Every structure is written in structure tokens, then in C-alpha cells.
Amino acid sequence: MKILLTGGAGFIGSHTCVELCQAGHEAVIVDNYVNSSPEAVRRVEKIVRHPVVCYEADVRDAAAMNRIFDEHSFDAVIHFAGLKAVGESVAQPLRYYRNNLDSTLTLMEVMQAHGVKRIVFSSSATVYGNQPVVPYREDMPSLGCTNPYGWTKFMIEKILEGQAAADPEWSVVLLRYFNPIGAHASGLIGEDPSGIPNNLMPYIAKVAVGELDHLNVFGNDYPTKDGTGVRDYIHVVDLARGHVLACGYAAEHTGSEIINLGTGVGYSVLDLVHTFDRVNNVHIPYVIAPRRAGDIAENYADPSKALALLGWKAEKNLEDMCRDTYHFQTLNPKGYHGSAGV
Ligand code: NAD
Ligand code: UD1
């Protein structure tokens, strides 16, 4: 299949591009590099050993998107493009709604005009809200979101479901990711956050290479096994494989489906720290800090629908996630800008 990846230069998009190419598909990228770098695409080309067509454009730019669709006959689109920092979305809600919603609406209109009716969308477990029970299942009604970023995911799910309901030729797969971490085993591509990371694993990685002093563990008084927050961490390469299978599913079905991509296993903050220390033979200093506003005690996925519909399940474990993250971080201590990689 020939597949367009919006936001394909980003963390998850670049890994998905590799998996698609290695599965024999043709991937085309469109990205405006608002949170990524063309270097990521060059690294992808190095891994797959052939060029990847990549356009620098904003998905909100209908003229540019029409030109791309005129040049290619796509079988499906994977829509990664979006702004994703929760705290930033609280400070800049209009920017988040404008970027994430406009890009989706423009993309859908251009797809419709070109008769491309299969889309796989990067949604998030954040859409569930703070559920009273775990694991999270796709049939649980959303309890609302706690920030504008989350609401953009919620609204985009509704936009895509509405289109699938209105036109029976559409196929929509809404992938709700849990907590993607890790990096490609080559050490060539990985997560390259700008500034001080907000998320746990990128923060640990920067402490590991001495760029940050210590980790603040946000709360050790949650009702969990060791008092620290529990999440479903998923290796980005497993997540990427899920997209390849979702494209195959979209080619054979119409309508819309919500599918969790998680391992089904929850790990605590301290599980991550201790595993990272052990497999990488490093020491991550940490201090217990107050809870972070908006955090919940525990979430993890019920991943059985992904197995039933896609034949997908996570294969990599927490040790792989910690090892691959550290490998990328040590080879690229300043991310894509500071090093030529390996
Ligand atoms: P990322 O920021 O690395 O990738 C997103 C890409 O989209 C970037 O390359 C960025 O430059 C591009 N982009 C943003 N707006 C654009 C626009 N208007 N036009 C063109 N390109 C644009 O993020 P990621 O971690 O790879 O996440 C990919 C998707 O998955 C996002 O939609 C994100 O919200 C979603 N998601 C991520 C996580 C996570 O923890 N990483 C969890 C759940 C959902
Ligand atoms: C966060 C977002 C979520 C988003 C996801 C993307 C919030 C409230 N939620 O999820 O909407 O989809 O990122 O990956 O921001 N922790 C520390 N110290 C740190 C950082 C984190 O102890 O420096 C803890 C947190 O309290 C939490 C766990 O680590 O228990 C994971 O945090 P994080 O990586 O930020 O992910 P989420 O909060 O699950």
C-alpha cells in the first residue's frame, strides 16, 4: 500500500515509517517540523536503505495538501500531525485547537475530494478521562478530558466517527495509545523533546546522561504497590507495528473502530527507575516530590481488542524500553541536532 504519514518526521511517525517500509509498503511523509527535524527522515532512510518522499508543509494548508494528493495515489493516511504537550495546551488552548482541529478537517476534506477514505488516527488514552476501574476498555464511555490537548483528541475522534457514519465507504481506525517510550534498536531514531521534558522516560534519559540533575517523583502516596503512579508503557516499535496492522485492517473493513494500543501491564515510576538503572548500569538519582496536578494513580489498557481485530500484541518488555531509550540518548545526547548518530 502507499500510505501518507502526516507528522511522519515525529517520534511515533518516524518509527512507523520504518516499520511500514520494512513490511513492503511505500510511505510518504508530510510534516512542517514544528516539533521535529528533517534529520529524523534522513535517519529513517538510513535504516530502510532507500529514499523516503517527504514534503515540508502544514497539514492545514489545503493547497499544499491538494498538490500532494494530486501527485500520489494513496491507499490510506496515518494522521500523526498534532501538537501534544499537555501543559502547553493549557497555556495556549487556541493554538492547540487551531492546529489539531484545522489540520484534521483540512486533511479529511482533501482525502474526501481525492477519494481516499481510509484513515488511522493517533488518539490517546487521555480520552478515557479518570476512570474508576482498570484496565481501560474501548467500550468505556469517556469521562471527559482534563486539558485542551485531550479535548482535541476527543473532538477529532468524533469528527472521524461522524464522517464514517455519514459515508459508508470510509474506514476509520482510532488508535488510543497508552504511554509510548523507547527507541529504534539502531539508536538512529528516538524521542527528541525540545526543552525540559514533561514526560517520565525522556526526563530519566536526560538525568542518565547528566543533562538534568535528578528526577522528581511526583507523589509516593497513591494507592498503588509502591505509592508511585502506574502507567502502561509501550515500546514505540511495538506501537509502530500496530499502525502497519491497522492499515491492513482499514483496507478490509469500513466503519470506525476504537482500538487500544498498550501492553496491558502497569508499571510504577519506581519500576521504571530501577529497571533503567539495572539494564543500563547507571544510577538515576531521584527525590520524592508532591503530586503533579491532574495526575491519576493508575491506568493501563485492556489490549484484547487489538489482538482480536489486528492480531497485534506488544512483544517488547520494560527492559527493552529502558535499554533502547538509553542507547538513543547516549548516541544522540543533544538529540538530532547535536550528533551524526551512528
Ligand atoms: P511528535 O511531536 O514527535 O510528532 C508530531 C509531528 O507532527 C511532529 O513531527 C510535528 O512537527 C508535526 N506537526 C504538528 N502539527 C503539524 C501541522 N499542522 N502540519 C504538519 N505537521 C505537523 O509527537 P509523537 O509523540 O510522535 O505523537 C504523534 C501523535 O500521537 C500526535 O498526534 C500525538 O498527540 C499522539 N499521541 C502521542 C503520545 C505520546 O506520548 N507520544 C500519546 C498519545 C497520543
Ligand atoms: C501524560 C499526559 C497525557 C499524555 C501523555 C503522553 C498529563 C497529566 N498526562 O501522561 O495526557 O497523553 O503524557 O505521553 O500530563 N512522573 C514523575 N516525574 C516526572 C514525570 C512524570 O514522577 O518528571 C510520573 C507521573 O506522575 C506519572 C508517570 O510518571 O505517574 C508518567 O507520567 P508521564 O510520562 O508524564 O505520562 P502521563 O502522565 O501518563
Side-chain angles (χ1 to χ4, degrees), residues 269-286:
V269 175
L270 293 182
D271 284 336
L272 237 79
V273 171
H274 295 143
T275 306
F276 196 97
D277 282 0
R278 182 167 50 79
V279 302
N280 296 317
N281 199 20
V282 294
H283 174 62
I284 303 296
Y286 66 85

Side-chain angles (χ1 to χ4, degrees), residues 7 9-13 30-36 57-60 79-84 99 103 122-124 149 153 177-178 180 191:
F11 172 45
I12 301 167
V30 56
D31 203 302
N32 65 358
Y33 305 123
V34 64
N35 193 40
S36 57
D58 194 307
V59 180
R60 292 172 295 176
H79 184 33
F80 298 103
L83 299 173
K84 65 161 185 176
N99 188 74
S103 58
S122 299
S123 191
S124 167
Y149 163 74
K153 295 294 177 195
Y177 311 157
F178 280 70
E191 191 164 10

Side-chain angles (χ1 to χ4, degrees), residues 238-278:
D238 276 334
L239 192 71
R241 278 195 309 104
H243 291 75
V244 179
L245 294 166
C247 288
Y249 180 87
E252 285 165 12
H253 300 80
T254 53
S256 66
E257 288 291 350
I258 298 169
I259 303 178
N260 286 340
L261 289 183
T263 66
V265 181
Y267 287 106
S268 73
V269 175
L270 293 182
D271 284 336
L272 237 79
V273 171
H274 295 143
T275 306
F276 196 97
D277 282 0
R278 182 167 50 79

